[in-house]
Amino acid sequence: PNPKKELLIHGVLFCAPWAIRTWMYGPVPDVVRPQPGVFRAEYRLMGEMRARAHNVVARYFTPRPWLTGKVDDANSLPPGEACLALHVRHTDKGDGRTKIPLEEFLPYAERFVQRGGEIIYL
């Protein structure tokens, strides 16, 4: 561990208005932990950071053609066909984060199927 590096990382993370804030791993402070029925300005900030990070990644990171070709071969969809991917995390969530029951994902899958969707990745 490098104490100076840790200070720099936390200083940028918490104090630099231009910095993109990522999800913190390790103990999560209550101030940024979502709580059912409670809205906090920090939630909006984290959403803004995610949007900013998405724009940076979309602008500067593109998959190599050989990789997209392998993905298309493994998961080919007919042109115009949609799929639904559900990112269910149970075993790798720690630090007191809420584990969402599988049943809470079901309405999204049902709605997708009702609208004609057929391919669901879990």
Side-chain angles (χ1 to χ4, degrees):
N2 181 337
K4 288 183 180 178
K5 181 179 176 184
E6 291 297 314
L7 286 173
L8 175 65
I9 290 170
H10 287 95
V12 170
L13 181 66
F14 292 112
C15 301
W18 47 264
I20 295 173
R21 284 136 177 98
T22 60
W23 183 258
M24 292 176 50
Y25 290 92
V28 179
D30 287 338
V31 71
V32 296
R33 183 184 314 232
Q35 297 176 10
V38 176
F39 176 80
R40 294 185 180 164
E42 292 85 2
Y43 301 165
R44 184 174 47 82
L45 173 67
M46 295 305 286
E48 291 170 2
M49 290 299 115
R50 291 176 72 131
R52 184 185 291 175
H54 166 77
N55 290 337
V56 169
V57 170
R59 182 173 179 185
Y60 295 108
F61 294 85
T62 55
R64 303 277 188 212
W66 67 266
L67 179 59
T68 56
K70 288 189 178 288
V71 170
D72 290 341
D73 289 345
N75 299 293
S76 60
L77 290 173
E81 184 72 30
C83 70
L84 173 67
L86 301 172
H87 186 177
V88 178
R89 297 177 61 184
H90 284 168
T91 60
D92 64 337
K93 270 195 164 178
D95 300 318
R97 291 184 228 163
T98 304
K99 294 177 181 157
I100 301 170
L102 193 56
E103 295 78 23
E104 291 191 30
F105 290 87
L106 189 57
Y108 299 97
E110 288 173 337
R111 182 76 171 157
F112 179 73
V113 171
Q114 288 169 355
R115 291 184 166 197
E118 296 180 358
I119 301 170
I120 300 176
Y121 291 98
L122 182 62

